[in-house]
């Protein structure tokens, strides 16, 4: 994740990269922003559909533009540049986790999910399942978000969540 390697990969010179980006943080922040495909929609009134929208968005973001490669680089650079991983959290992760948690809270409030559901654990399990599946030999399919939500929040035969 050096500026030199970025310049080489882009087929340009280090001075060209330095003219465009003041620092490594600026470069990486731009890369992180490119992963944000779209803003999350406002809640629809169907908490399960909202949770699925958030997970599908995260699923798509992880498959877009080698996002997981960037995550690996951010983790590798964490000791030297903790601000870069924090930028990823601030710009991509925290908003999706918060939206997912709101959907789960609404699912509890409407009786679709158990009242004793551990929201922190459920949110981490749903998001973490996407990262975990990516690392398997099977990889992360476009429908993984649907499959992982179904485990926690199944849809009944009538099409409505339980």
């Amino acid at each position: 994740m050096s500026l030199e390697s970025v310049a080489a990969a882009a087929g340009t010179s280090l001075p060209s990269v330095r003219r465009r980006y003041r620092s490594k943080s600026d470069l990486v922040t731009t890369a992180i922003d490119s992963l944000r495909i779209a803003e999350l929609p406002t809640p629809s009134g169907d908490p399960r559909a909202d949770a699925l929208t958030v997970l599908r968005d995260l699923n798509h973001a992880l498959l877009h533009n080698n996002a997981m490669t960037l995550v690996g680089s951010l983790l590798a650079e964490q000791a030297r540049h903790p601000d870069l991983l924090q930028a990823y959290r601030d710009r991509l992760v925290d908003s999706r986790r918060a939206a997912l948690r709101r959907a789960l809270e609404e699912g509890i409030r409407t009786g679709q999910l158990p009242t004793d559901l551990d929201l922190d654990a459920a949110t981490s399990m749903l998001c973490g399942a996407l990262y975990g599946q990516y690392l398997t030999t099977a990889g992360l399919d476009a429908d993984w978000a649907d499959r992982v939500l179904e485990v926690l929040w199944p849809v009944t035969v009538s099409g409505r969540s339980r």
Side-chain angles (χ1 to χ4, degrees):
M1 221 166 69
S2 69
L3 293 179
E4 293 83 1
S5 65
V6 169
T12 190
S13 67
L14 180 59
S16 294
V17 171
R18 288 192 186 279
R19 276 193 298 275
R20 184 157 184 184
Y21 304 101
R22 293 186 320 259
S23 66
K24 182 187 281 192
S25 291
D26 287 345
L27 174 67
V28 174
T29 300
T30 300
I32 291 167
D33 285 343
S34 77
L35 301 177
R36 231 192 301 189
I37 288 101
E39 293 301 319
L40 291 171
T42 56
S44 68
D46 179 347
R48 188 183 188 287
D50 294 342
L52 187 55
T53 296
V54 172
L55 289 173
R56 284 178 177 164
D57 176 76
L58 181 59
N59 193 155
H60 184 68
L62 293 176
L63 293 173
H64 181 71
N65 286 343
N66 293 318
M68 285 299 287
T69 304
L70 179 61
V71 172
S73 296
L74 294 174
L75 291 170
E77 293 283 328
Q78 183 178 9
R80 289 187 306 211
H81 300 284
D83 57 311
L84 300 179
L85 185 57
Q86 189 58 49
Y88 180 80
R89 288 179 182 131
D90 292 344
R91 298 182 192 289
L92 208 66
V93 176
D94 291 346
S95 60
R96 278 139 184 87
R97 285 182 60 89
L100 181 56
R101 184 183 175 104
R102 282 191 301 274
L104 294 173
E105 287 171 338
E106 186 63 14
I108 291 169
R109 192 189 69 70
T110 59
Q112 297 176 36
L113 290 169
T115 57
D116 62 347
L117 180 69
D118 182 331
L119 289 168
D120 290 329
T123 301
S124 291
M125 287 169 33
L126 290 169
C127 293
L130 297 172
Y131 288 98
Q133 181 64 25
Y134 183 89
L135 296 173
T136 68
T137 56
L140 187 59
D141 295 330
D143 71 338
W144 181 252
D146 300 68
R147 292 172 50 210
V148 74
L149 185 61
E150 181 67 21
V151 172
L152 177 72
W153 199 339
V155 174
T156 63
V157 176
S158 67
R160 300 194 42 88
S161 55
R162 66 176 169 139

